Amino acid sequence: MIGPRLWLLQRATALIMAPFVLVHLGLIIVAVQGGLDASEILARTQGSWGWALFYVAFVLAVAIHAAIGLRVVIAETLRPRRWVLNLTAWVILIVLAVLGLRAVYAVIA
Amino acid sequence: MGSIDSGSQPAANGKLEIKIWRGRAKDGAFSAYQVPEQAHQTVLDVVTYVQRRIDATLAYRFACRVGMCGSCAMTVNGVPRWTCRTDVKTVARKGRLVIEPLRNLPVVKDLVTDMAPFFDKWQAAEGRLQATSDREAEVATIDPASPERKAADAGVECINCAVCYSACDVVTWNPDYLGPAALNRAWTLQNDERDGGKAERLRAVTSDGGCQNCHSHQSCTEHCPVGLSPTASIAGLKRMATRAAFGRGPR
């Protein structure tokens, strides 16, 4: 049910996410040292091209990785027709990407 | 699944209580039999006793009785096993055995499964040598210490019993999946210096039902009666497929 291209893409996005998760978690730990404060976070992220790039890449990697993974789970448990399977995976990818990019836009712009 | 078999105890009255699946997958049912317990009795001995002394209509398959031919695999107390080399004492619980046909294959009758899908997938995985020389050629000299030879050695003693195929959940979930045995065979050939079909075989084992479907549950490795690790072979194929995607594939 999963061809070699999707399989490789899921592994590649996993490779991308591994360091991103560490940076993201590390940042959370650093950020809450002086208490959790929205203005402090926004001061770090607003207008920052670096964090914008980081989180856009992170969100896209998550959306692709999760969509492929859920596609396999759905294929193996529900065995839908191929077009239903592919459409579902695309919907998952787009929903995750839109939600994530919207959140990135909210803290960067 | 190995823990299912633990805690074996002798039968109460010198009789084993045996339940055997009779009929086909859909309209079949278990039948109960009593078989005298004996020393060094294998599960195959028990099935043979039932067929010869109690009910001659019982269908089952065996050939060599010494763990070489791979014909007699069945599900014993929920676990796929080679029955000719499985001592009843190691698997019976309070003298009870539940014997079913292998999972993941169509049941012909009783304990006999149709092995055609299993062997069809060997062929789909290009699980045969593509010879690069003929009988006139000199015998190929292969260094026993070479990494390729060692990789092939690790998987080559497969007896085609389909225990791994029966143990694999991915086969259950995805009927197109080639399965551990066929992919293990393909891996040994990908490491065979004499073989000339490596690029073609790599395409076959990375098709829709190919090696990338394996979730590495390792049920195949857990249950392989001859101690092979199809999981490791499949991981090898995945590495080979990844290298090929970057232009470093076999030619």
Side-chain angles (χ1 to χ4, degrees):
Chain A
M1 274 296 183
I2 183 168
R5 286 204 193 91
L6 284 184
W7 177 78
L8 263 178
L9 190 58
Q10 199 190 21
R11 261 135 199 84
T13 48
L15 269 177
I16 294 168
M17 284 194 302
F20 281 23
V21 168
L22 293 178
V23 171
H24 182 63
L25 290 177
L27 181 70
I28 291 170
I29 292 165
V30 171
V32 299
Q33 290 304 309
L36 199 54
D37 181 357
S39 60
E40 186 201 342
I41 292 167
L42 288 174
R44 184 169 38 244
T45 57
Q46 268 177 346
S48 162
W49 280 103
W51 285 122
L53 211 62
F54 177 88
Y55 278 113
V56 165
F58 201 171
V59 162
L60 293 180
V62 168
I64 292 168
H65 187 86
I68 297 172
L70 288 172
R71 184 181 176 279
V72 172
V73 173
I74 293 166
E76 288 179 351
T77 51
L78 303 175
R79 291 192 205 165
R81 278 187 229 171
R82 179 147 293 225
W83 71 267
V84 176
L85 182 63
N86 288 335
L87 183 69
T88 311
W90 275 110
V91 168
I92 292 167
L93 187 147
I94 290 165
V95 166
L96 288 176
V98 166
L99 287 175
L101 292 175
R102 189 170 154 271
V104 175
Y105 179 79
V107 293
I108 301 291
Chain B
M1 292 226 280
S3 61
I4 283 176
D5 291 332
S6 61
S8 88
Q9 288 165 298
N13 55 355
K15 297 271 190 187
L16 297 163
E17 300 287 338
I18 311 296
K19 278 187 178 172
I20 297 180
W21 183 261
R22 301 302 306 269
R24 281 177 294 193
K26 268 186 191 154
D27 48 10
F30 282 106
S31 293
Y33 306 94
Q34 281 200 331
V35 174
E37 189 178 35
Q38 287 176 332
H40 311 298
Q41 191 175 19
T42 66
V43 175
L44 184 63
D45 291 336
V46 167
V47 175
T48 300
Y49 183 93
V50 172
Q51 201 265 343
R52 299 212 174 145
R53 307 286 182 89
I54 305 176
D55 185 350
T57 66
L58 174 64
Y60 68 111
R61 197 186 270 134
F62 76 97
C64 77
R65 300 172 294 118
V66 289
M68 289 173 71
C69 74
S71 305
C72 69
M74 301 167 197
T75 305
V76 183
N77 284 356
V79 177
R81 293 183 179 282
W82 53 354
T83 55
C84 72
R85 297 290 302 274
T86 302
D87 193 316
V88 168
K89 275 199 287 298
T90 63
V91 291
R93 278 166 291 161
K94 296 183 181 174
R96 291 199 182 94
L97 284 180
V98 178
I99 307 172
E100 298 164 82
L102 284 179
R103 210 166 65 110
N104 292 340
L105 288 163
V107 178
V108 177
K109 179 180 181 285
D110 304 341
L111 300 172
V112 177
T113 51
D114 179 3
M115 300 283 279
F118 176 72
F119 289 113
D120 286 348
K121 287 178 180 179
W122 276 61
Q123 294 306 316
E126 298 283 334
R128 57 188 177 275
L129 184 80
Q130 300 283 359
T132 49
S133 61
D134 56 26
R135 69 185 68 188
E136 309 301 331
E138 291 228 1
V139 174
T141 315
I142 294 165
D143 178 5
S146 73
E148 289 78 16
R149 175 70 224 199
K150 283 180 176 169
D153 265 354
V156 86
E157 296 292 348
C158 173
I159 59 170
N160 319 355
C161 64
V163 159
C164 59
Y165 190 82
S166 175
C168 178
D169 285 333
V170 181
V171 172
T172 312
W173 297 327
N174 179 0
D176 292 335
Y177 179 47
L178 293 170
L183 292 170
N184 176 72
R185 176 65 183 141
W187 171 245
T188 62
L189 289 164
Q190 291 302 78
N191 286 285
D192 192 327
E193 287 177 37
R194 303 165 302 161
D195 179 84
K198 294 192 174 67
E200 201 182 323
R201 190 174 301 104
L202 188 64
R203 266 196 300 282
V205 299
T206 53
S207 63
D208 245 24
C211 63
Q212 64 279 1
N213 288 276
C214 169
H215 295 316
S216 309
H217 290 163
Q218 305 190 50
S219 294
C220 53
T221 304
E222 171 77 20
H223 296 293
C224 175
V226 290
L228 306 185
S229 176
T231 310
S233 299
I234 294 166
L237 289 175
K238 287 172 173 175
R239 282 196 301 277
M240 200 173 261
T242 306
R243 277 199 296 274
F246 293 97
R248 293 174 58 208
R251 282 175 295 272

